[in-house]
Amino acid sequence: MSTIHPRITDVLSRTFRVPVAEILPESTMDSLDMDSLAAAEFAVVLRETTGVELDTGVLTRGTTLAELTEHLHTAAGVAR
């Protein structure tokens, strides 16, 4: 099992106070009430947590957590 999704969940719940029950694969930044500033901060914290730099434009209002996880897997070369 990948360690990326639990890291995303941890960052969202601890840093951004998103209830764990709302952190679903189909959740988008918009549905999690993450404005552009919060999304930028999220990208920085994810880079610090995972060591993976997010490409510009990956984290948009419509990006789902499943898409984000897939991008991080691919960028990190993590086997799923």
Side-chain angles (χ1 to χ4, degrees), residues 5-71:
H5 182 71
R7 288 180 185 180
I8 290 171
T9 300
D10 187 59
V11 168
L12 286 171
S13 64
R14 289 178 185 251
T15 305
F16 297 95
R17 304 289 186 232
V18 175
V20 173
E22 293 179 18
I23 304 172
L24 306 170
E26 65 272 11
S27 297
T28 63
M29 296 299 101
D30 196 38
S31 73
L32 297 174
D33 293 326
M34 301 279 285
D35 62 18
S36 58
L37 182 58
E41 183 180 353
F42 183 39
V44 170
V45 175
L46 283 176
R47 184 185 71 232
E48 292 169 353
T49 303
T50 65
V52 176
E53 184 78 34
L54 289 174
D55 295 331
T56 303
V58 168
L59 203 53
T60 65
R61 292 177 54 169
T63 302
T64 66
L65 295 182
E67 292 167 337
L68 176 60
T69 300
E70 181 63 29
H71 174 78

